[in-house]
Amino acid sequence: MTQRPRSTVLRDARRIVVKVGSSLVTNEGRGLDEGAIGEWCRQLAALVRDGREVVMVSSGAIAEGMKRLGWRTRPHEVHELQAAAAVGQMGLAQMYETKLRQNNLGSAQVLLTHADLADRERYLNARSTLVTLLAHGVVPVINENDTVVNDEIKFGDNDTLGALVANLVEADALVILTDQKGLYTADPRKDASATFVHEAVAGDPALEAMAGGAGSSLGRGGMITKILAAKRAAASGASTVIAWGREQDALLRLAAGEAIGTLLVAQDAKHQARKRWMADHLQMRGAVTVDNGAAAKVRAEGKSLLPIGMTAVEGDFSRGDVIAVRDPAGAELARGLANYSSAEARLLCRKPSGQIESLLGYVAEPEMVHRDNMVLMQKA
């Protein structure tokens, strides 16, 4: 696949996840950097005014809690980390709320654990919440829920969390703001021949060899976690930029197409990546059969599948499972992500979307399968 020129990757991105590290947010542990956070929020507001949707993934709760508790070194005991996070999260959320409000933007605090994204229902609920916040012009500020995690469910670093959030909201781009300019072929402090990597393909194994070890004592990440995060984000079609967080107007300049930091390009666009995954899905839990009218709208017009077009439901599937969509003759015309379980779908067959709430007691989506979450399996 031919890569798009660098100038268009961030310029064309409409939904962007921005991740900032602990050393930046807390000014190397000296306390929340009000000026820096204010600058990022000002830029986020400008991006929203430009029609973009932005999500902020912010480290700093544990580091801020350490400062408030008077701890000079990061503790190792989980309960102490949780206590520091509980103390620091208060100040972190308040700071973002204040700075975003000053720029006429609403904010929402969202705390996630790995379990939230591993469980299908919680994953979809988190996604629905975040997409709804973005639709209302609110900036979600996300952090790992350090007050309840343990070693089995920790993300381990917020670079990974940033990539998972990019996957969750189907972002076009992930911007990782850090205390380094970007990626070098080797550690420039130790190797005078090291050169700066302006652009590469996300997931290239050579990048991992270039990246060093862990970062500062405040956080758990390093360049290697950023390289792996870019690889993970690319799986859903999001390209990643690793850039210095104190670069003047870094977010605005990136959005304008300027070459800042290291760009790690996803080989597939987000819709292509998701639809290829669905098309290659080998284990489907069920299927729905549709009438001729619905089949024509899905196949020829690229429409979403509405409940009123369904005539039968097969199998036992849950919300979020990949299911087949069959025409009246039984041929698979599409497959996609179910917005309702098989039991719910049976109740919805032949029913208009306006009756979903009265039948189920709630409405997840008006469609059984949205066109953005569907891939055609045969041509007209």
Side-chain angles (χ1 to χ4, degrees):
M1 177 176 294
T2 302
Q3 292 183 15
R4 292 182 295 168
R6 172 167 184 147
S7 61
T8 69
V9 172
L10 268 293
R11 190 190 67 194
D12 294 345
R14 308 317 301 170
R15 182 173 290 174
I16 303 170
V17 174
V18 179
K19 182 267 176 182
V20 290
S22 296
S23 60
L24 289 173
V25 173
T26 64
N27 197 12
E28 299 294 345
R30 289 187 287 272
L32 291 177
D33 192 330
E34 182 176 355
I37 294 174
E39 275 297 295
W40 297 323
C41 290
R42 178 185 62 79
Q43 294 177 64
L44 294 179
L47 293 177
V48 172
R49 288 195 297 270
D50 189 41
R52 322 272 184 142
E53 295 177 327
V54 292
V55 178
M56 174 65 84
V57 175
S58 179
S59 301
I62 290 178
E64 172 64 8
M66 287 168 51
K67 184 254 185 183
R68 293 186 176 204
L69 291 168
W71 298 348
R72 293 183 178 275
T73 58
R74 184 185 176 98
H76 297 287
E77 296 293 333
V78 171
H79 64 273
E80 290 185 326
L81 290 168
Q82 292 170 336
V87 172
Q89 196 63 245
M90 297 294 290
L92 189 67
Q94 183 181 34
M95 182 67 74
Y96 276 105
E97 163 68 16
T98 299
K99 296 303 178 182
L100 287 169
R101 185 66 61 186
Q102 289 175 357
N103 288 278
N104 300 313
L105 275 182
S107 64
Q109 183 188 48
V110 180
L111 301 177
L112 294 173
T113 67
H114 190 281
D116 295 322
L117 303 186
D119 179 84
R120 180 184 297 106
E121 285 293 325
R122 288 157 71 177
Y123 177 96
L124 292 171
N125 289 339
R127 170 179 161 75
S128 295
T129 297
L130 292 173
V131 171
T132 300
L133 289 170
L134 293 174
H136 285 82
V138 173
V139 175
V141 180
I142 300 177
N143 198 353
E144 185 174 4
N145 194 354
D146 290 307
T147 59
V148 299
V149 297
N150 55 38
D151 287 340
E152 283 68 43
I153 61 175
K154 281 186 67 65
F155 293 111
D157 62 85
N158 274 358
D159 295 322
T160 300
L161 177 57
L164 292 173
V165 170
N167 294 344
L168 179 66
V169 301
E170 297 172 8
D172 301 298
L174 168 64
V175 178
I176 299 178
L177 297 180
T178 182
D179 54 5
Q180 302 175 61
K181 296 284 187 179
L183 175 67
Y184 287 82
T185 54
D187 188 339
R189 297 169 297 183
K190 301 176 182 178
D191 187 345
S193 66
T195 58
F196 190 77
V197 178
H198 293 279
E199 182 174 339
V201 175
D204 184 341
L207 300 177
E208 297 177 32
M210 296 176 192
S216 69
S217 61
L218 291 172
R220 299 191 61 188
M223 188 55 67
I224 185 63
T225 69
K226 295 164 179 57
I227 298 302
L228 295 176
K231 179 180 179 180
R232 188 184 297 268
S236 62
S239 295
T240 298
V241 172
I242 303 170
W244 186 39
R246 300 196 184 280
E247 185 83 45
Q248 181 67 33
D249 287 334
L251 297 177
L252 301 183
R253 290 160 61 193
L254 284 168
E258 187 173 339
I260 298 174
T262 297
L263 172 64
L264 301 178
V265 182
Q267 289 294 79
D268 293 324
K270 65 177 182 178
H271 292 301
Q272 292 172 320
R274 183 172 68 257
K275 292 193 175 187
R276 187 181 68 245
W277 171 77
M278 287 187 288
D280 293 341
H281 216 73
L282 298 178
Q283 295 183 334
M284 289 182 291
R285 302 292 296 274
V288 295
T289 301
V290 301
D291 60 27
N292 284 317
K297 288 183 177 298
V298 168
R299 181 187 292 121
E301 301 179 33
K303 300 290 187 180
S304 300
L305 173 61
L306 301 178
I308 197 169
M310 301 188 309
T311 59
V313 178
E314 304 171 30
D316 181 14
F317 54 85
S318 301
R319 181 184 175 214
D321 281 340
V322 177
I323 62 172
V325 180
R326 304 187 186 281
D327 65 19
E332 184 182 357
L333 67 95
R335 58 183 57 174
L337 303 182
N339 284 329
Y340 296 95
S341 69
S342 53
E344 293 169 330
R346 291 184 174 93
L347 294 175
L348 297 178
C349 280
R350 290 301 194 187
K351 300 298 192 299
S353 298
Q355 292 184 16
I356 294 177
E357 185 171 11
S358 62
L359 290 167
L360 304 182
Y362 79 103
V363 179
E365 303 289 346
E367 310 89 4
M368 179 64 196
V369 181
H370 193 279
R371 64 184 180 183
D372 289 345
N373 295 322
M374 185 189 301
V375 58
L376 294 179
M377 300 302 292
Q378 63 180 34
K379 296 182 179 179

